[in-house]
Amino acid sequence: GNSVTQMEGPVTLSEEAFLTINCTYTATGYPSLFWYVQYPGEGLQLLLKATKADDKGSNKGFEATYRKETTSFHLEKGSVQVSDSAVYFCALRQSNFGNEKLTFGTGTRLTIIP
Amino acid sequence: NAGVTQTPKFQVLKTGQSMTLQCAQDMNHEYMSWYRQDPGMGLRLIHYSVGAGITDQGEVPNGYNVSRSTTEDFPLRLLSAAPSQTSVYFCASSYKGRYTFGSGTRLTVV
């Protein structure tokens, strides 16, 4: 079945540091890939997505590129802020005959220190 | 727009009690789903529905029932709560792969 493996946390960085959170996946066919963010006490919000190989998703300074050859979708940001502190989930979506499933990674807790 | 509304936000149950977690959406989405979130395990799919009158099991369905009598509502029922069901529960609705999540219900079973 489908699976998503993402970088173990927690991750603690200083403000303005460079961020990478690794994500790799296993799936048949051509899934869509997502990064979701969960701020304290809230539900998940879509951060960015990519629907086919070599697509780059971007939002709020975060980027991730769909790499089919390495089955990866790593999240990056050039300069993190305290407000980026949250839990980040990598996910894949696969749709078959009208049914679809969203499979999540375990989440990576990110803390940014001023 | 309210989006996806979950109630209650917090609940404490005793082992063996039953309860229903409510989920309502106002976006007319056909697809709705329930997830549980546990530390170190991400979100796991409990049940889902592709439209009114149609439900199916996800990855971890045991101990939970669902029904979908209307497009708007997708309640999750715990018939006899167990400590292993202590978790944070999220409801989601989606359209063309774009998911909207509720703010969650934190359930503790003692």
Side-chain angles (χ1 to χ4, degrees), chain A residues 7-15 17-19 80 85 108-114:
Chain A
M7 182 174 167
E8 291 278 340
V11 174
T12 302
L13 295 173
S14 297
E15 204 166 21
F18 184 85
L19 169 70
V80 293
S85 298
T108 302
R109 182 176 299 277
L110 174 67
T111 302
I112 308 300
I113 300 172

Side-chain angles (χ1 to χ4, degrees), chain A residues 6 36-45 86-90 104-109, chain B residues 6 21 34-46 59-60 64 76 84-91 101-107:
Chain A
Q6 65 179 99
Y36 283 86
V37 59
Q38 183 182 30
Y39 299 103
E42 298 184 12
L44 277 70
Q45 303 173 25
V87 181
Y88 292 81
F89 292 92
C90 185
F104 288 88
T106 55
T108 302
R109 182 176 299 277
Chain B
Q6 287 185 238
L21 280 64
W34 275 101
Y35 292 84
R36 59 177 290 172
Q37 181 183 20
D38 301 294
M41 303 191 75
L43 277 75
R44 293 180 291 168
L45 180 65
I46 304 171
E59 183 184 354
V60 286
Y64 307 95
L76 178 72
S84 61
Q85 293 178 303
T86 294
S87 187
V88 181
Y89 292 84
F90 288 100
C91 178
F101 286 85
S103 57
T105 295
R106 183 174 293 275
L107 176 67

Side-chain angles (χ1 to χ4, degrees), chain A:
Chain A
N2 297 340
S3 67
V4 176
T5 302
Q6 65 179 99
M7 182 174 167
E8 291 278 340
V11 174
T12 302
L13 295 173
S14 297
E15 204 166 21
E16 299 184 2
F18 184 85
L19 169 70
T20 300
I21 301 177
N22 290 338
C23 171
T24 57
Y25 68 90
T26 302
T28 56
Y30 304 95
S32 298
L33 301 175
F34 304 84
W35 278 100
Y36 283 86
V37 59
Q38 183 182 30
Y39 299 103
E42 298 184 12
L44 277 70
Q45 303 173 25
L46 179 65
L47 180 60
L48 53 84
K49 69 176 183 180
T51 58
K52 60 183 188 297
D54 299 326
D55 267 2
K56 176 185 282 189
S58 61
N59 186 25
K60 299 180 181 181
F62 291 89
E63 293 183 341
T65 302
Y66 190 149
R67 302 286 188 198
K68 196 171 191 312
E69 64 274 15
T70 54
T71 62
S72 65
F73 193 54
H74 304 321
L75 182 69
E76 297 182 335
K77 187 175 185 181
S79 177
V80 293
Q81 306 300 314
V82 172
S83 58
D84 294 327
S85 298
V87 181
Y88 292 81
F89 292 92
C90 185
L92 71 83
R93 169 182 169 258
Q94 195 136 42
S95 182
N96 293 307
F97 303 103
N99 289 330
E100 60 172 77
K101 298 284 179 67
L102 197 59
T103 302
F104 288 88
T106 55
T108 302
R109 182 176 299 277
L110 174 67
T111 302
I112 308 300
I113 300 172

Side-chain angles (χ1 to χ4, degrees), chain B residues 12-77:
Chain B
V12 178
L13 287 180
K14 294 183 178 179
T15 297
Q17 285 186 317
S18 63
M19 79 160 295
T20 300
L21 280 64
Q22 302 291 345
C23 176
Q25 53 100 358
D26 62 358
M27 297 169 285
N28 205 32
H29 290 170
E30 292 294 332
Y31 189 89
M32 296 185 74
S33 49
W34 275 101
Y35 292 84
R36 59 177 290 172
Q37 181 183 20
D38 301 294
M41 303 191 75
L43 277 75
R44 293 180 291 168
L45 180 65
I46 304 171
H47 285 286
Y48 65 97
S49 169
V50 299
I54 306 170
T55 64
D56 205 349
Q57 296 181 351
E59 183 184 354
V60 286
N62 292 340
Y64 307 95
N65 282 351
V66 291
S67 60
R68 185 93 180 271
S69 57
T70 66
T71 300
E72 295 77 19
D73 300 300
F74 190 43
L76 178 72
R77 296 184 184 84

